[in-house]
Amino acid sequence: MFNLSELGIPIIQAPMAGGINNPRLASEVSNAGGVGSFGFSYSTPQKISEDLAATRALTNGPINANFFVFSAVDLPAQAVQQKALEALKNLPIEGEYSLSIPQAPFYPDLEEQLIPVWEHCPEILTFHFGIPSLSIIEKAHSLGIAVGITATSFKEAKAIEKAGADFIVAQGIEAGGHRGIFNPDGIDEKLTAIDLTRLLVKGCSIPVVAAGAIMDGADIASALKSGAVAAQLGTAFLCCEESGASPAHKEYLLKHHGRGSVFTTGFSGRPARGINNEFIRLMEGKMVLPFPLQNTMTATLRQLAGRTNNGEYQSLWAGQDYASTRQLSAKNLMLALKEELLLARPL
Ligand SMILES: Cc1cc2nc3c(=O)[nH]c(=O)nc-3n(C[C@H](O)[C@H](O)[C@H](O)COP(=O)(O)O)c2cc1C
């Protein structure tokens, strides 16, 4: 079974759904001694199979396949549906977009998505938003695949440990993208990556990976000092040449530093941290459908914004320290991170 403590460099390039991860990015990170990941949240089994095969052809290093654990969801009452639909109508964006209420099935079947994972056997399988069925964890173990699950609190981490996972991804409140909290309607303790990592290292018996605003080697050194076995970096990789982030996403990360990053449920129905833009501001206090129905309903709007390179209506997911994002190849970013880590934490 793959063990994170054996990594050449203790870095996991975060799984990032939405076309950002690809075989080139993942294999460059993996070949440089880290873990290359895929956020397969909404991907079809065919796409998952193609990506895993293409990546394996480019690296023998560790690959991580990541999935969302969706909770059962129903369409809310008609009045709520209409209010959520109204909130998205007539937004001041140039171009036409159509809107409709999503139809079931509302999310992909995890068991079907995992078929190509069992065929291609990436070294690591991770989950966001919850714990998958125990049979999935057992199946992964029978194939020698290590399982990791995101936690945002001590309580979630203890449940992950009890389920038999091999490591915990401690996601701090600074982290970009969707907050992995199991119940978004419950209380969020909003712990930072370092505070959460310390808490979990003390109280859990499995390794902990720190995630959230880790942008350079000194940040990685702090995570390791807190007891983490590795650091998971998302935003740091978004402006790599190989990253599939949209041109507007890259531009805002590099140039729009005064905006800051904020949480919104407007794009998907679940809290996610991204660069503050017009859509987020206009959606404040508006009705949204539950996750992932809101995500489906905003798809046409986001696609229009992508086609017209309009950053004001795209989900520009980014962590709190996105101003430190560097525009390098993945290989050079890994080299820089390694050098900085050695400086901050001599062997
Ligand atoms: C664009 C983007 C997409 C993300 N998508 C996923 C995902 O599909 N699955 C997942 O487990 N985490 C996802 N995350 C969260 C990361 O795993 C990680 O917690 C986060 O990137 C760490 O904070 P940082 O972005 O400041 O490094 C995403 C993050 C970003 C920035």
Side-chain angles (χ1 to χ4, degrees):
M1 183 111 60
F2 184 76
N3 189 332
L4 284 172
S5 61
E6 289 162 17
L7 279 177
I9 310 178
I11 295 174
I12 301 177
Q13 160 252 308
M16 290 183 277
I20 290 157
N21 303 137
N22 56 57
R24 278 181 64 221
L25 177 63
S27 61
E28 286 292 345
V29 173
S30 186
N31 284 331
V35 175
S37 304
F38 283 88
F40 284 134
S41 54
Y42 300 98
S43 303
T44 61
Q46 190 184 336
K47 173 79 174 130
I48 295 166
S49 182
E50 285 167 7
D51 278 345
L52 291 177
T55 310
R56 187 48 84 217
L58 298 170
T59 184
N60 288 322
I63 307 173
N64 167 28
N66 170 270
F67 294 86
F68 287 172
V69 177
F70 290 97
S71 302
V73 60
D74 282 322
L75 271 174
Q78 278 280 341
V80 174
Q81 291 178 36
Q82 282 315 312
K83 267 196 176 173
L85 197 69
E86 285 299 323
L88 295 174
K89 272 188 188 162
N90 304 320
L91 291 170
I93 176 175
E94 240 172 75
E96 299 294 314
Y97 60 98
S98 59
L99 289 172
S100 56
I101 299 291
Q103 302 291 316
F106 298 123
Y107 49 83
D109 181 334
L110 182 58
E111 299 279 349
E112 277 178 25
Q113 286 181 307
L114 288 172
I115 293 171
V117 171
W118 307 142
E119 277 166 21
H120 294 279
C121 281
E123 286 71 13
I124 303 174
L125 175 60
T126 57
F127 296 95
H128 208 50
F129 302 142
I131 301 173
S133 73
L134 296 190
S135 64
I136 289 176
I137 297 176
E138 279 164 14
K139 171 96 179 179
H141 286 166
S142 74
L143 294 168
I145 303 173
V147 175
I149 303 174
T150 305
T152 61
S153 67
F154 187 76
K155 191 175 168 200
E156 288 172 357
K158 290 308 278 183
I160 291 168
E161 179 184 43
K162 195 169 167 215
D166 303 286
F167 65 94
I168 303 163
V169 178
Q171 191 193 37
I173 193 70
E174 320 92 321
H178 280 95
R179 186 128 176 89
I181 192 165
F182 291 4
N183 175 12
D185 300 322
I187 291 168
D188 187 341
E189 293 173 55
K190 302 186 177 147
L191 295 170
T192 64
I194 296 291
D195 286 349
L196 180 61
T197 299
R198 278 209 198 100
L199 209 64
L200 304 195
V201 168
K202 273 194 208 162
C204 300
S205 58
I206 53 176
V208 178
V209 171
I214 298 175
M215 301 300 289
D216 59 25
D219 294 339
I220 298 172
S222 304
L224 299 180
K225 203 167 164 227
S226 312
V229 65
Q232 180 157 302
L233 287 66
T235 303
F237 285 96
L238 283 172
C239 289
C240 284
E241 279 160 37
E242 298 87 348
S243 149
S246 73
H249 199 169
K250 291 186 180 182
E251 188 195 321
Y252 277 57
L253 285 162
L254 295 169
K255 296 188 187 153
H256 292 240
H257 293 166
R259 291 174 172 244
S261 68
V262 292
F263 277 103
T264 180
T265 54
F267 283 109
S268 73
R270 248 187 181 271
R273 183 187 283 283
I275 299 175
N276 203 355
N277 63 7
E278 188 164 279
F279 178 79
I280 294 179
R281 285 193 296 276
L282 290 173
M283 288 302 287
E284 255 170 50
K286 296 278 165 62
M287 180 69 77
V288 296
L289 292 182
F291 179 83
L293 279 61
Q294 181 75 5
N295 191 64
T296 310
M297 201 161 66
T298 59
T300 50
L301 178 67
R302 289 181 286 114
Q303 283 154 9
L304 168 63
R307 282 197 305 277
T308 53
N309 199 31
N310 182 346
E312 296 304 316
Y313 289 85
Q314 294 182 35
S315 47
L316 308 172
W317 302 143
Q320 237 166 26
D321 190 15
Y322 74 88
S324 301
T325 310
R326 290 175 269 189
Q327 202 174 18
L328 294 169
S329 67
K331 186 177 175 177
N332 285 340
L333 177 59
M334 288 296 285
L335 280 173
L337 292 169
K338 186 181 179 180
E339 260 180 41
E340 293 160 358
L341 175 58
L342 278 174
L343 272 177
R345 191 180 187 254
L347 285 177

